[in-house]
Amino acid sequence: MILEHADIRITPGRNAEFEEAIQRGLSTVIAHAKGFRRAQVQRGIESTERYLLMIEWETLEDHTVGFRNSPQFADWRAIVGPFFAAPPVVEHFALTDARA
């Protein structure tokens, strides 16, 4: 399992519109992508125009090759892209054996 972590900054004052759009994009586009497992979105408290999008993929390539090179990626960006104040910062993480 790979975790995609996207740090998203949106245009001020558009929170409600963005939250509706990202939910729509997740349910209509991302959820149907090969290798998608689950997603979660969190909004910043101190910086209310900052969001963390976390998506679990089966493999890194499911996201970086399969999804990003598909027509679905353009559909996704058409839904959420208009709200971006800057390009999202996207990184990938792998689970370690450390547990609490």
Side-chain angles (χ1 to χ4, degrees):
M1 189 275 302
I2 297 297
L3 177 67
E4 171 196 357
H5 176 278
D7 188 341
I8 301 169
R9 311 287 174 127
I10 66 162
T11 305
R14 301 196 67 195
N15 296 76
E17 294 172 274
F18 175 70
E19 289 176 21
E20 183 280 324
I22 199 165
Q23 180 58 45
R24 182 168 29 94
L26 287 169
S27 64
T28 63
V29 179
I30 302 283
H32 302 286
K34 179 185 177 297
F36 169 81
R37 294 180 70 180
R38 72 183 121 252
Q40 182 180 62
V41 180
Q42 296 190 19
R43 180 180 58 230
I45 294 172
E46 291 81 9
S47 302
T48 57
E49 283 83 30
R50 183 178 180 195
Y51 289 82
L52 297 180
L53 169 62
M54 293 161 285
I55 301 177
E56 291 182 14
W57 298 93
E58 291 292 330
T59 68
L60 179 63
E61 292 75 19
D62 283 337
H63 177 234
T64 60
V65 178
F67 179 68
R68 284 215 177 147
N69 291 325
S70 75
Q72 290 175 304
F73 183 70
D75 295 342
W76 164 251
R77 288 306 285 261
I79 294 169
V80 297
F83 299 94
F84 296 164
V89 176
V90 178
E91 295 183 326
H92 299 91
F93 296 83
L95 190 63
T96 69
D97 290 333
R99 304 266 193 264

